[in-house]
Amino acid sequence: MCLSSPRALQAAVALVVCGVCLSARSDDWPQWRGPERNGHSAETGLLREWPADGPKLLFKVDGLGGGYSTPSVVGDRIYLLNDVGIEDEFVRCLSGTDGSEIWSTRIGAVGAPDQRPPYPGARSTPTVVGDVLYALGSNGDLVCIETDSGGVRWQRNIQDEFGGKYGQWAYSESPLVDGNTVVVTPGGSEATMVALDAETGNVRWKCHDPDGDIAAYASVVIADIDGVKQYVQFVSKGVIGVNAANGKLLWKYGKTAEGSPANIPTPVTMRNLVYTATGRGGAGLAKVSASGSDFAAEEVYFNRDLPNAIGGSVLVGDYLYGATRQALMCVEFATGEVAWQDRSIGAASVLYADGLLFLHGENGEVALVEATPEEYREKGRFTPPETPFDARKTTWTYPVLADGKLYLHDYGTLWCFDVGG
């Protein structure tokens, strides 16, 4: 990031402050895709290889309920969403010691229960900030909850109050908290994106997209592009950049959304480059540039065979690591050139820490792979014990790393493994 101008320096400081307020400890995992929303953990000293049967299991909890929520972990507490039937969706707080329940708070019903294909259930990852968390239910129930007691400080329904429109699988987004602002994506002609006061839930601004884009399934990330702080989000017809100060729509790139019914992976950004991908649309990199107060996105490359799986991708140095339906890949981010690919465990969600990739495969397997562009180097693989997974189901939750522990959530079961060195 260039810090040659006062505006750029101010934006950089804001990003740092936001990261600090989300996670007081570097080994917490306080929100979707970790402290910086990029799939990275700053932890070091982790196991370089796993035993044949996997790392040591510290505890396992069954019967949590349905849904596809990835947990957040802060201090000695675990937070996630689950549903019981289609009438009740809950935010749960569990002990980080043994997984026992500390509190559970109902936030609403499950969205689009008659969806086809049928995958109804809780999907959001809670965002933990200080003594509160923010979570979005699949039916649009946005809540601010006290982490100590589970008490609700405020609640709004973004579908009812903002004319929100979601796709056939309801809301999946995990709220972004940026300082004293909460950002979510109702979708539709009234408010494609909305910024709320974090303390009260009051509206700060609403973003109107002339296309009337409905909400997709990705989550907002922050980018500083030519000195302007932007909220980048993948909606139904493409990826957009929104001015963080006032909600103005700045630019849009739609190629990777064409023909796609489900825009799921969270965008990956580096300076003014934005990578998005969908299973049916393909993968592409857009370069966003400013001309005066106007912005435009220009395609750098597009390829249907680059990482595009639901599990997203991570950027490590100059290389992107992610999966297609068939293989794990290492790709040069700026050019799209493939360094290597390996069938590995197939499609998977991915996390990066300490030079390693932690993969949670859609087939239920878990793998450890060295993050290097030189070649594919696997350092361990196992299947969690007594998994509820079977051949008729698909594992979609992302892995979580906090305080040397690897957390996996799948079909109402939570595992905690010791991966600290």
Side-chain angles (χ1 to χ4, degrees), residues 247-271:
K248 178 184 177 182
L249 180 65
L250 298 175
W251 56 269
K252 190 171 191 175
Y253 170 71
K255 180 68 173 180
T256 53
E258 292 178 2
S260 171
N263 302 343
I264 297 175
T266 293
V268 178
T269 67
M270 181 175 71
R271 295 188 294 275

Side-chain angles (χ1 to χ4, degrees), residues 23-365:
S23 179
R25 301 178 355 165
S26 62
D27 54 3
D28 284 339
W29 192 271
Q31 62 172 332
W32 172 244
R33 302 200 79 204
E36 302 298 329
R37 286 200 157 214
N38 59 4
H40 282 233
S41 168
E43 290 195 51
T44 58
L46 303 174
L47 288 173
R48 309 308 300 175
E49 292 192 36
W50 289 344
D53 56 352
K56 179 182 178 181
L57 177 65
L58 297 177
F59 64 81
K60 172 176 174 284
V61 183
D62 295 311
L64 292 173
Y68 308 94
S69 173
T70 293
S72 293
V73 180
V74 175
D76 60 356
R77 291 193 171 190
I78 306 163
Y79 305 92
L80 73 164
L81 273 71
N82 288 107
D83 57 84
V84 179
I86 62 172
E87 297 298 328
D88 299 300
E89 199 164 304
F90 295 86
V91 177
R92 299 192 188 279
C93 173
L94 309 179
S95 166
T97 302
D98 57 12
S100 59
E101 185 173 289
I102 296 174
W103 54 257
S104 177
T105 299
R106 181 185 184 275
I107 61 172
V110 173
D114 298 324
Q115 59 192 246
R116 290 290 182 271
Y119 305 114
R123 302 170 184 276
S124 176
T125 293
T127 302
V128 185
V129 184
D131 61 355
V132 297
L133 66 78
Y134 301 85
L136 179 64
S138 61
N139 201 41
D141 296 290
L142 178 65
V143 294
C144 173
I145 293 178
E146 297 174 354
T147 55
D148 182 55
S149 64
V152 176
R153 287 195 179 177
W154 58 260
Q155 181 167 359
R156 308 190 67 152
N157 186 284
I158 64 171
Q159 184 178 197
D160 296 340
E161 298 183 44
F162 302 111
K165 303 291 184 183
Y166 54 58
Q168 63 193 95
W169 295 289
Y171 287 111
S172 298
E173 175 184 21
S174 301
L176 169 70
V177 179
D178 179 20
N180 59 357
T181 301
V182 180
V183 183
V184 289
T185 314
S189 58
E190 180 182 338
T192 304
M193 187 185 294
V194 64
L196 307 175
D197 183 280
E199 184 175 349
T200 64
N202 294 335
V203 177
R204 293 185 179 275
W205 52 250
K206 294 188 287 187
C207 171
H208 170 68
D209 181 350
D211 290 338
D213 261 5
I214 64 175
Y217 309 96
S219 296
V220 180
V221 294
I222 299 174
D224 182 272
I225 300 176
D226 284 342
V228 177
K229 183 179 180 180
Q230 302 182 21
Y231 297 142
V232 178
Q233 173 63 305
F234 204 7
V235 289
S236 64
K237 297 179 183 178
V239 58
I240 59 175
V242 175
N243 191 315
N246 56 28
K248 178 184 177 182
L249 180 65
L250 298 175
W251 56 269
K252 190 171 191 175
Y253 170 71
K255 180 68 173 180
T256 53
E258 292 178 2
S260 171
N263 302 343
I264 297 175
T266 293
V268 178
T269 67
M270 181 175 71
R271 295 188 294 275
N272 65 338
L273 299 175
V274 180
Y275 180 92
T276 52
T278 60
R280 294 190 185 180
L285 187 73
K287 179 180 180 180
V288 181
S289 302
S291 177
S293 60
D294 297 324
F295 283 79
E298 177 185 4
E299 183 175 287
V300 178
Y301 60 77
F302 175 83
N303 189 325
R304 295 187 183 278
D305 298 320
L306 293 180
N308 58 10
I310 289 174
S313 300
V314 294
L315 180 62
V316 182
D318 294 327
Y319 290 89
L320 185 79
Y321 297 87
T324 63
R325 295 296 305 172
Q326 292 78 32
L328 181 71
M329 303 180 74
C330 173
V331 177
E332 188 175 27
F333 187 70
T335 66
E337 294 296 320
V338 177
W340 56 254
Q341 56 183 313
D342 189 277
R343 295 191 66 85
S344 183
I345 57 176
S349 50
V350 58
L351 176 159
Y352 170 81
D354 199 16
L356 300 165
L357 303 173
F358 295 75
L359 306 174
H360 193 196
E362 290 188 6
N363 62 4
E365 294 181 337

